Amino acid sequence: MARLLKLNVFRYNPQDPKSVPHLQTYVLDETDNMTMFIALNRVREEQDPGLQFDFCCRAGICGSCAMVINGRPSLACHTKTKDLPDEITLLPLPVFKLIGDLSVDTGVWFRAMYDKVESWIHTRKEFDPKALEERMDNAVAEQIYELERCIECGCCVAACGTARLRDDFMGAAALNRVARFVVDPRDTRTDKEYFEIIGNDTGIFGCMGLLACEDVCPKDLPLQNQLGYLRRKMGITALKSLFSRK
Amino acid sequence: MQTHYSDLLVIGAGLSGERIAVEAAQAGFGVTVLSIVPARRSHSSAAQGGMQAALGNCAMGKDDCPDVHFLDTVKGSDWGADQEVARMFVDTAPIEMRRLAYWGVPWNRVVPGKSFYFKGGEKFEKVEPEDRAGLITARSFGGTAKWRTCYTSDGTGHAVMCTMDNRCAQLGIDVRDRCEAIALIHDGQTCFGAIVRSLRSGELSAYLARATAVCTGGFGRIYKATTNAVICDGAGHIIALDTGAVPVGNPEAIQFHPTGIVPTDILVTEGCRGDGGTLLDVNQDRFMQIYEPEKAELASRDVVSRRMTEHMRKGLGVKSAYGDHLWLDIRHLGDKHISTKLREVDEICKYFLGIDARTQLIPVRPTQHYTMSGIRTDKDGAAYGLTGLFSAGEAACWDMHGFNRLGGNSLAETVVAGGIIGAKIAEFLGGHEVKFDTTLVRQAGAQAEERIKAIVSGTNGHEDVYKVRGALQEALMDGCFVFRNGPDLEKCIDTLHEVYERSGRVGLRSNGLGANPELAVALKIRGMVKLGLCIAYGALARTESRGSHTREDYPERNDRDWLTRTLAYWPDGAEKPVLKYEPSSPVYELPPGDRGYGGGKIIPADPASLTLIKKEVKG
């Protein structure tokens, strides 16, 4: 027999002067292959048309629908209700600014990050439309893509101990972004230049090594390895610059 | 009401929108890009397969060139494409792929030596040439003569989207998310920008610009079963159609994808079949080779969708709680291939179906996938009817896809068209001055405010917007899906008129404050039904079968009478669209002929009626 699911959903609309933060309970009958995408849309269409949440691709590709599901930051579209108990509590991601209910402002946070880490290829070369493309080893291309797979859902930031303590911590997503350019031979930035960006407490040295970022990453990005790799690289860069000053 | 000004306003921050923005910004113009979601979440990022460009680097793409790509594209379009546009596209695509490589896209590259591939479930060997090592490689995709689809693993759209958005950040382009354009500001001749609702606060602003580009993607969400993201609801088409001056081209040209998973309709890429995946029926027998001996599973997607539906109608589909479906089998491709080249597919099966594609079959059925239809523009991307309005990408009917788009051509179109049209817009901005009439701007703002007030307070009625939307989606599934015929289309039109009438009586049940989601749908619902009516009227009028438009009662492709493009206008206050027609192509580099797949009879055109251009075409 189908289960009755009890959804406790965080409600607060900052644009409504009468609204106060609270949990609201909805009861819903579970259907086959139900994901939180199906469940939340049914709640909105059948019970509470003003309920705010974000979905876009509903296929785990775009990163819109991250929220805290029974205590864990996850993509709602990825989450099958059959893997959850009868009672499910949904909260918006912490760290990011609340827009309303389960919807948070990841867009502004990530755009600021692009500027901070200068999230683009730094090169002095000009593009020549008549020339063949520069060659690249396929293994290198795949290595770059592996890190490019980040969908900026914000789960790693929401689960990060340091990010919860200090607003200026860059978080795993930003550090992973830097790692993506470090492995890219087209980017001419030196270790010293990367050190300028992340060689401090708001960057790689702020990480406490709790590694919840990797635990919650819905794309299974190798964040633990990347953070270790950058920390060592930046540590060496710091030592080198110490000695070169002498 | 806040007013913003820029030289160029781009509505939609997917690949075509951002590519236009980059081109205009590089030319020194001030650009504002608006998006309802953070740019990288745009539906461009969901395109897994790749981009077609005739680089001819890989072994199976040897001797490929733009001419062969042109033939594939025009044949694929079933001669519905504008051949001037298709030619421009194929010639520019290789350069654009290299440009993207320069900007940072990690394209997969040629690995020299022996490797294996599957076709129709059989294993073949190929040898990649030494001298091409490290150049951009390509994979096979449905409907092409050569392997031509450039890709980055299983996330091409995502990777290119990241690079394009990085490029925007580098150029300091003002990209604003959670902003939805709800009306264009225009005087019937010229477009001056848009009235925009903030999806953070609900506030309205005016965004004024000398040029406006609508790049909002497709409108698949007017169908119940669609692979499209939830944001692909036609918002851009609606504001263009609402002007009364701008037509939607070929509204009846809607593509269905053969492999949406059941029940969520999430797309699994054509790459599955390209790499050797097969389709099986209820008896777990292959069947595509019965209908299409030559191409089998690799026939173009409208053909595969149709054959699947035909096979299921014979009772050979698999019964399920969500209706009939078929199986996609990729088990024989092996663990390594599935976990690297088809990783996204692997994840979709695991996360959304709870199955392992290495050992289990994937339930699939045809579902709405792509709108060849869109805001009709000329070859420069300028919309018909309003000066200063442009459109590109899936939102536009440029029109290189005609009645059927090839896999990998749409994602390539976003950047190729974006580059070409962005340059044309820059040229336009160099010589186009406007005077902004503040009365006009205030009127547009006041009108939007009144509309919102009426919907929130229920002045017009209390119809539930989600129920109205549901009725629209059901009607289109019944009347305007893979197969169409006169009686069903007429019934569909009757239903849609009822739905249209209801859409005028929508009133909110929630309070409408802030970024209220019910209000966002309510503001669009009438336009969504208009789009549905455009499809149905266009499909009823077109008494032939061409590409994805299949009339059971008119199975022939009729070049004599229908080598035309439908232009659907919705004049102010009209109850239904006004249909006009223009020739499919101003010139014919490739005269209408047989596609070589799909079967069906052709009623030939009078050769004297076509402007042929002579060109040596290889292949």
Side-chain angles (χ1 to χ4, degrees):
Chain A
M1 209 186 109
R3 287 194 299 172
L4 279 184
L5 301 174
K6 193 172 153 195
L7 268 57
N8 305 313
V9 180
F10 177 84
R11 300 298 315 271
Y12 176 54
N13 182 359
Q15 303 294 327
D16 178 359
K18 288 193 206 129
S19 176
V20 280
H22 65 286
L23 281 181
Q24 192 163 333
T25 300
Y26 305 95
V27 176
L28 196 66
D29 59 303
E30 187 177 32
T31 51
D32 285 346
N33 293 59
M34 188 184 241
T35 62
M36 286 314 298
F37 168 71
I38 294 171
L40 279 170
N41 274 292
R42 270 191 55 198
V43 169
R44 185 193 271 173
E45 290 179 22
E46 295 165 14
Q47 303 183 34
D48 198 336
L51 180 63
Q52 292 184 52
F53 50 77
D54 294 318
F55 283 99
C56 182
C57 74
R58 59 74 179 86
I61 296 167
C62 79
S64 291
C65 62
M67 57 185 70
V68 180
I69 304 172
N70 280 353
R72 196 180 171 85
S74 326
L75 292 183
C77 71
H78 256 193
T79 305
K80 296 186 283 291
T81 53
K82 71 175 177 194
D83 297 335
L84 296 171
D86 300 352
E87 190 162 347
I88 302 166
T89 300
L90 303 176
L91 302 174
L93 285 189
V95 181
F96 301 98
K97 187 179 170 189
L98 182 77
I99 288 174
D101 304 335
L102 298 172
S103 174
V104 297
D105 200 336
T106 49
V108 163
W109 193 96
F110 277 96
R111 282 214 97 70
M113 182 273 270
Y114 311 157
D115 288 338
K116 219 180 289 175
V117 306
E118 301 192 359
S119 170
W120 53 82
I121 299 275
H122 290 56
T123 177
R124 285 172 182 271
K125 287 184 188 149
E126 293 286 325
F127 176 67
D128 178 0
K130 291 198 185 86
L132 274 185
E133 64 273 23
E134 267 189 44
R135 290 170 197 255
M136 180 185 274
D137 195 76
N138 191 54
V140 174
E142 284 184 347
Q143 205 187 348
I144 299 167
Y145 178 71
E146 179 67 14
L147 305 182
E148 189 98 284
R149 291 189 303 111
C150 170
I151 54 171
E152 303 188 354
C153 60
C155 286
C156 62
V157 180
C160 172
T162 310
R164 297 292 293 273
L165 293 172
R166 51 186 299 172
D167 292 341
D168 57 358
F169 183 59
M170 291 174 143
L175 294 166
N176 176 70
R177 180 62 47 83
V178 170
R180 178 246 174 270
F181 288 102
V182 170
V183 299
D184 194 323
R186 292 166 294 196
D187 196 310
T188 56
R189 276 180 282 185
T190 61
D191 287 352
K192 231 175 140 181
E193 286 170 278
Y194 287 120
F195 188 86
E196 292 294 320
I197 303 170
I198 58 165
N200 52 48
D201 281 358
T202 70
I204 193 67
F205 301 124
C207 167
M208 298 188 286
L210 300 175
L211 300 171
C213 51
E214 178 157 333
D215 289 346
V216 300
C217 177
K219 301 310 277 187
D220 296 322
L221 287 168
L223 296 171
Q224 184 173 346
N225 275 345
Q226 290 313 312
L227 292 174
Y229 165 74
L230 283 179
R231 183 193 288 272
R232 195 171 65 240
K233 199 174 177 65
M234 291 300 108
I236 292 168
T237 311
L239 283 173
K240 271 189 191 161
S241 69
L242 269 181
F243 287 118
S244 66
R245 260 182 229 152
K246 277 181 187 170
Chain B
M1 193 171 59
Q2 285 281 339
T3 306
H4 306 261
Y5 171 78
S6 46
D7 294 317
L8 170 63
L9 174 68
V10 182
I11 300 169
L15 278 177
S16 56
E18 287 206 334
R19 183 66 186 85
I20 283 178
V22 163
E23 201 63 27
Q26 285 175 169
F29 295 102
V31 185
T32 304
V33 185
L34 304 179
S35 174
I36 56 175
V37 292
R40 289 174 202 223
R41 312 213 191 291
S42 301
H43 195 47
S44 303
S45 71
Q48 303 168 322
M51 295 193 178
Q52 280 206 47
L55 290 159
N57 289 329
C58 65
M60 302 299 287
K62 193 167 175 288
D63 298 328
D64 196 13
C65 63
D67 291 345
V68 184
H69 189 186
F70 177 81
L71 295 183
D72 283 342
T73 301
V74 174
K75 281 183 193 169
S77 81
D78 223 354
W79 277 269
D82 180 320
Q83 297 198 9
E84 269 189 309
V85 167
R87 173 47 74 181
M88 244 188 331
F89 164 75
V90 297
D91 287 348
T92 315
I95 303 167
E96 188 65 19
M97 298 307 115
R98 294 184 181 123
R99 193 191 318 269
L100 293 171
Y102 164 77
W103 280 340
V105 172
W107 294 120
N108 276 86
R109 304 293 179 131
V110 174
V111 179
K114 241 187 245 176
S115 54
F116 298 98
Y117 68 97
F118 286 91
K119 194 182 167 188
E122 275 183 71
K123 197 172 177 180
F124 296 89
E125 187 185 289
K126 64 184 171 66
V127 181
E128 294 293 342
E130 198 68 48
D131 64 329
R132 301 286 172 136
L135 296 176
I136 299 170
T137 192
R139 61 158 56 127
S140 177
F141 240 32
T144 67
K146 302 278 181 187
W147 287 25
R148 187 188 297 128
T149 308
C150 309
Y151 65 100
T152 59
S153 251
D154 217 339
T156 312
H158 168 81
V160 179
M161 193 68 241
C162 286
T163 296
M164 199 61 73
D165 198 37
N166 284 340
R167 180 74 185 148
C168 285
Q170 183 181 7
L171 293 168
I173 295 171
D174 188 1
V175 182
R176 301 181 179 199
D177 64 29
R178 293 188 190 262
C179 292
E180 180 156 47
I182 59 169
L184 290 175
I185 305 168
H186 70 100
D187 61 3
Q189 308 284 325
T190 307
C191 180
F192 300 103
I195 300 294
V196 175
R197 177 173 176 252
S198 163
L199 301 181
R200 288 188 177 81
S201 65
E203 276 167 328
L204 297 184
S205 323
Y207 279 77
L208 305 183
R210 289 192 288 136
T212 304
V214 177
C215 306
T216 49
F219 53 89
R221 280 281 154 182
I222 69 174
Y223 282 86
K224 186 129 259 171
T226 174
T227 62
N228 287 192
V230 299
I231 56 171
C232 300
D233 53 12
H237 304 86
I238 292 168
I239 57 175
L241 201 59
D242 276 347
T243 63
V246 181
V248 168
N250 280 343
E252 66 273 32
I254 307 284
Q255 188 178 69
F256 304 94
H257 195 286
T259 52
I261 63 166
V262 181
T264 43
D265 298 294
I266 295 170
L267 165 74
V268 291
T269 178
E270 211 151 10
C272 289
R273 285 175 296 121
D275 289 356
T278 55
L279 291 168
L280 307 180
D281 63 17
V282 65
N283 303 317
Q284 301 202 12
D285 289 330
R286 272 186 75 201
F287 58 90
M288 275 307 298
Q289 81 286 356
I290 303 169
Y291 302 102
E292 301 292 329
E294 185 72 15
K295 295 221 168 189
E297 278 87 353
L298 292 177
S300 74
R301 52 180 62 165
D302 61 314
V303 173
V304 177
S305 299
R306 215 155 52 222
R307 298 304 194 188
M308 286 170 76
T309 307
E310 198 175 337
H311 205 64
M312 285 191 284
R313 279 187 179 179
K314 289 181 184 166
L316 292 162
V318 185
K319 304 264 178 260
S320 86
Y322 307 97
D324 286 6
H325 65 78
L326 293 157
W327 300 113
L328 174 65
D329 184 7
I330 59 168
R331 294 173 299 183
H332 51 286
L333 300 182
D335 174 53
K336 188 165 177 246
H337 192 94
I338 292 172
S339 49
T340 56
K341 294 269 169 27
L342 296 172
R343 176 158 59 187
E344 299 278 345
V345 175
D346 191 23
E347 287 178 0
I348 286 169
C349 290
K350 188 169 120 197
Y351 287 121
F352 305 99
L353 291 167
I355 65 164
D356 182 354
R358 289 164 196 77
T359 54
Q360 289 168 287
L361 300 171
I362 310 169
V364 293
R365 68 177 166 207
T367 151
Q368 192 283 343
H369 183 50
Y370 188 82
T371 42
M372 279 76 71
S373 161
I375 297 167
R376 177 63 183 145
T377 71
D378 65 14
K379 63 183 176 182
D380 297 340
Y384 283 20
L386 282 184
T387 308
L389 182 67
F390 296 80
S391 182
E394 190 176 349
C397 179
W398 188 30
D399 168 12
M400 56 171 273
H401 305 300
F403 277 79
N404 178 55
R405 160 197 76 111
L406 297 185
N409 256 357
S410 59
L411 195 61
E413 182 195 15
T414 61
V415 287
V416 174
I420 292 172
I421 292 166
K424 288 290 173 189
I425 292 176
E427 217 176 284
F428 172 83
L429 285 170
H432 175 72
E433 299 299 337
V434 294
K435 287 202 174 103
F436 294 107
D437 177 350
T438 55
T439 315
L440 194 72
V441 177
R442 281 161 55 96
Q443 269 172 1
Q447 259 174 23
E449 257 161 38
E450 270 164 39
R451 266 182 75 204
I452 290 173
K453 217 193 248 171
I455 292 170
V456 172
S457 61
T459 317
N460 302 328
H462 296 280
E463 280 283 354
D464 177 341
V465 69
Y466 298 119
K467 291 204 174 119
V468 176
R469 186 177 66 182
L472 162 70
Q473 291 169 330
E474 292 290 354
L476 289 173
M477 293 302 281
D478 289 343
C480 297
F481 206 56
V482 178
F483 284 103
R484 299 160 183 191
N485 61 64
D488 284 348
L489 282 166
E490 277 166 18
K491 202 173 122 209
C492 178
I493 286 172
D494 288 345
T495 312
L496 287 176
H497 275 297
E498 277 167 42
V499 179
Y500 184 63
E501 196 264 323
R502 282 172 67 191
S503 73
R505 287 189 271 116
V506 162
L508 293 198
R509 291 171 297 150
S510 57
N511 62 19
L513 293 172
N516 183 285
E518 191 186 15
L519 179 57
V521 186
L523 282 167
K524 279 176 283 200
I525 187 67
R526 207 159 168 77
M528 289 169 78
V529 186
K530 280 185 187 176
L531 285 172
L533 279 162
C534 287
I535 298 175
Y537 274 105
L540 180 65
R542 185 172 287 274
T543 45
E544 65 153 359
S545 293
R546 185 182 297 276
S548 64
H549 170 70
T550 308
R551 285 286 298 259
E552 291 170 294
D553 41 358
Y554 295 93
E556 306 85 10
R557 190 184 89 199
N558 184 345
D559 290 342
R560 187 189 61 210
D561 305 317
W562 287 104
L563 203 55
T564 55
R565 179 176 301 102
T566 311
L567 298 174
Y569 291 83
W570 201 292
D572 206 20
E575 285 302 305
K576 60 178 196 173
V578 174
L579 302 183
K580 296 180 184 172
Y581 293 91
E582 66 177 8
S584 293
S585 187
V587 291
Y588 290 87
E589 187 177 326
L590 185 69
D594 185 7
R595 300 163 101 186
Y597 49 86
K601 269 199 203 136
I602 298 170
I603 301 171
D606 171 10
S609 71
L610 307 174
T611 314
L612 300 176
I613 52 169
K614 286 224 163 72
K615 193 163 188 279
E616 277 293 302
V617 177
K618 282 190 274 178

